Amino acid sequence: MSGEVLIELTDVGKTYRNGSLEVAALRHANLRIDTGEYVAIMGPSGSGKSTLMHVLGCLDVATSGNYRLAGSDVGSLSEDELANIRNRRIGFVFQQFNLLASLSAWRNVELPLCYAGVPKAERRERALAALERVGLAARSDHRPGQLSGGQQQRVAIARALVTEPSLILADEPTGNLDSASTTDVLGLLAELHAAGRTIVLITHETDVAEAAARVVRILDGEIYSDSANDPAGVR
């Protein structure tokens, strides 16, 4: 790693409390990801990878340790500042797509721009440009129910891109897709990485993790392996 540091975790922990019960979902995590990297975070269900993703995406705050994102100490930021980072600097792609069924594709894509206060005409222009970028310009007026799973995930990726974020966090983005759509979505993520995006891909599937240049493995809340990926197989 020789680029500018984008993500830096130092001894980060996350503990959830329910009454007198405490669950350490993340323990002593140390991780550095540079601008422009493509990293897969891999682990089985319950390993802590989703907790790690929530911390990286400023959706949750670490209980202990330090998280710096592009040089900023995330733990010292206000709720408004965290919301601003989530909306402007991070693009999220989720397994469930999280599209609004009543809205067309382009209106789903424009939503982050609505929250950012971007004027209506500019929102539409940027949403349509983002859909064209993912190969769905011809489907811009279709609602999610009129699109295949792979197409819905492309809409979700367009929505993640529309604010021009520096970081794309993809949490099990192929989990609800068939093999052809999985290949399609991973190909699109590869294109975004080649264009200079930083991609962090959360997955439990070895074949999906192989798409990344580097694989970080987590188990029982602890990062235990961090290595360059061998395209021939991390198997």
Side-chain angles (χ1 to χ4, degrees):
M1 297 177 290
S2 58
E4 181 180 346
V5 180
L6 179 63
I7 286 170
E8 189 168 26
L9 300 182
T10 305
D11 204 29
V12 163
K14 179 62 184 179
T15 299
Y16 294 102
R17 293 178 174 84
N18 183 6
S20 60
L21 181 65
E22 291 190 355
V23 177
L26 196 62
R27 294 181 284 185
H28 308 296
N30 292 284
L31 180 66
R32 167 179 163 169
I33 297 175
D34 290 351
T35 299
E37 282 200 273
Y38 188 168
V39 179
I41 296 176
M42 185 179 173
S45 177
S47 61
K49 63 183 184 300
S50 290
T51 299
L52 178 55
M53 191 280 291
H54 279 77
V55 170
L56 294 179
C58 300
L59 296 166
D60 208 346
V61 179
T63 308
S64 59
N66 180 260
Y67 173 28
R68 301 187 75 84
L69 178 62
S72 296
D73 181 357
V74 171
S76 68
L77 301 179
S78 68
E79 283 297 327
D80 285 346
E81 289 170 325
L82 290 172
N84 186 60
I85 284 177
R86 290 192 298 267
N87 190 53
R88 296 175 183 270
R89 304 187 68 171
I90 304 172
F92 294 93
V93 182
F94 296 101
Q95 179 177 348
Q96 301 296 337
F97 315 139
N98 291 348
L99 301 177
L100 297 181
S102 61
L103 299 182
S104 65
W106 79 265
R107 288 198 175 277
N108 268 285
V109 172
E110 76 163 351
L111 285 174
L113 302 178
C114 294
Y115 303 142
V118 175
K120 185 176 181 179
E122 183 183 344
R123 292 201 307 263
R124 179 178 169 84
E125 181 180 348
R126 288 173 63 176
L128 292 174
L131 284 169
E132 183 172 5
R133 202 164 171 184
V134 301
L136 279 183
R139 305 276 183 172
S140 62
D141 288 320
H142 287 60
R143 293 183 181 182
Q146 299 171 305
L147 302 172
S148 69
Q151 289 171 334
Q152 289 184 62
Q153 193 60 290
R154 279 181 170 263
V155 173
I157 292 172
R159 182 183 56 197
L161 291 174
V162 76
T163 58
E164 296 294 332
S166 57
L167 171 64
I168 300 291
L169 283 180
D171 187 13
E172 300 279 9
T174 63
N176 284 335
L177 303 179
D178 59 30
S179 58
S181 295
T182 293
T183 299
D184 189 40
V185 167
L186 290 178
L188 179 55
L189 290 176
E191 290 173 17
L192 294 174
H193 173 242
R197 301 280 175 186
T198 305
I199 310 287
V200 177
L201 172 66
I202 312 295
T203 185
H204 67 276
E205 300 177 85
T206 300
D207 290 348
V208 173
E210 286 177 357
R214 176 179 159 207
V215 179
V216 174
R217 291 177 176 80
I218 185 169
L219 185 66
D220 296 331
E222 295 188 33
I223 293 173
Y224 71 92
S225 173
D226 183 347
S227 60
N229 201 356
D230 175 4
V234 186
R235 297 177 173 86

